Amino acid sequence: MKVSLPPQTLMLTYPILIVGSYDAGGKPNIMTAAWGGIACSQPPCISVSLREATLTYHNICASGAFTVNFASEKYVREADFVGMVSGRDTDKFNVAQLTPVKSKQVNAPFVDEFPLSLECKLFKKIPLGSHTMFVGEIMGIVSDQNILGQNGAPDVGKAHPFVWGSSPKMGYYSLGEPVGFGFSSGKEIQHQ
Ligand SMILES: Cc1cc2nc3c(=O)[nH]c(=O)nc-3n(C[C@H](O)[C@H](O)[C@H](O)COP(=O)(O)O)c2cc1C
């Protein structure tokens, strides 16, 4: 039996994107965004949707750049914390004991402790309503060497990322073993 639910931003799981930016005085800031994801392959783009009330919104408008950082599981508390307080009131890097490093590619800081960071130049800014979508072109990537797999690409199993689930209790979830493989598992059906 199916039931109908009211329209809402329901996707079961959401990425946890830690958005890094500089304010007008060059002070580094980070915030958590769950509304976002890869937006285009060529040019390579990622989007984050932000409320105008955030400091990050204004930082990106002024600097034209941001980073998207992926925390590993051991930084779940830090990732949640930077989503609860504003850089207007708190030096979040300092309080969370995280290290800002200036990107070589764009005018934005990345988080040294996190295994993977995308360095983005603002490509498009699309007002949608409560949120404005910032589409960033990925100009570079900084990765911990020790998460690289044999093919030289960052390995999900080594980076230990986590996702957010809206219900129940807004939990953060770790990833288990793969249950299938892209462009491969479906061949069993395709060729039957
Ligand atoms: C799990 C989680 C997800 C969030 N996702 C978003 C989001 O997608 N967009 C947004 O504007 N705020 C989001 N927030 C809230 C911001 O992170 C929060 O308002 C933050 O204090 C803004 O920081 P800033 O003012 O330093 O930029 C989220 C918070 C949490 C904890």
Side-chain angles (χ1 to χ4, degrees):
M1 191 178 78
K2 295 284 187 188
V3 296
S4 295
L5 300 174
Q8 54 193 294
T9 53
L10 187 55
M11 219 172 69
L12 290 179
T13 59
Y14 308 80
I16 287 297
L17 310 170
I18 307 296
V19 184
S21 62
Y22 285 123
D23 75 7
K27 187 175 160 190
N29 185 50
I30 36 176
M31 73 162 269
T32 315
W35 289 182
I38 291 298
C40 185
S41 299
Q42 205 48 252
C45 290
I46 188 165
S47 75
V48 289
S49 287
L50 309 178
R51 285 168 302 112
E52 195 173 344
T54 64
L55 173 62
T56 303
Y57 173 105
H58 297 279
N59 286 358
I60 298 174
C61 289
S63 67
F66 59 98
T67 62
V68 176
N69 304 265
F70 297 89
S72 47
E73 282 174 14
K74 65 180 172 184
Y75 290 106
V76 67
R77 291 177 315 145
E78 287 79 355
D80 192 50
F81 166 71
V82 302
M84 291 192 296
V85 297
S86 174
R88 285 199 183 86
D89 317 309
T90 307
D91 181 342
K92 291 191 255 186
F93 269 105
N94 192 26
V95 174
Q97 298 188 1
L98 296 171
T99 314
V101 178
K102 188 177 184 333
S103 158
K104 290 197 175 93
Q105 305 299 332
V106 298
N107 182 26
F110 66 85
V111 183
D112 200 28
E113 286 79 3
F114 294 177
L116 190 72
S117 305
L118 309 181
E119 304 160 289
C120 304
K121 185 177 76 176
L122 183 59
F123 182 67
K124 276 192 170 44
K125 181 182 154 194
I126 307 166
L128 297 172
S130 62
H131 288 61
T132 293
M133 181 187 277
F134 291 87
V135 181
E137 181 176 351
I138 301 167
M139 307 304 290
I141 296 177
V142 182
S143 172
D144 280 356
Q145 195 169 15
N146 62 11
I147 67 157
L148 299 182
Q150 286 188 342
N151 62 358
D155 181 325
V156 180
K158 293 183 177 180
H160 300 293
F162 56 89
V163 296
W164 189 43
S166 50
S167 177
K169 292 187 183 174
M170 299 189 186
Y172 295 106
Y173 293 81
S174 60
L175 304 180
E177 292 300 311
V179 294
F181 295 93
F183 302 102
S184 174
S185 299
K187 287 181 183 169
E188 280 184 32
I189 299 173
Q190 191 180 12
H191 295 136
Q192 82 187 357

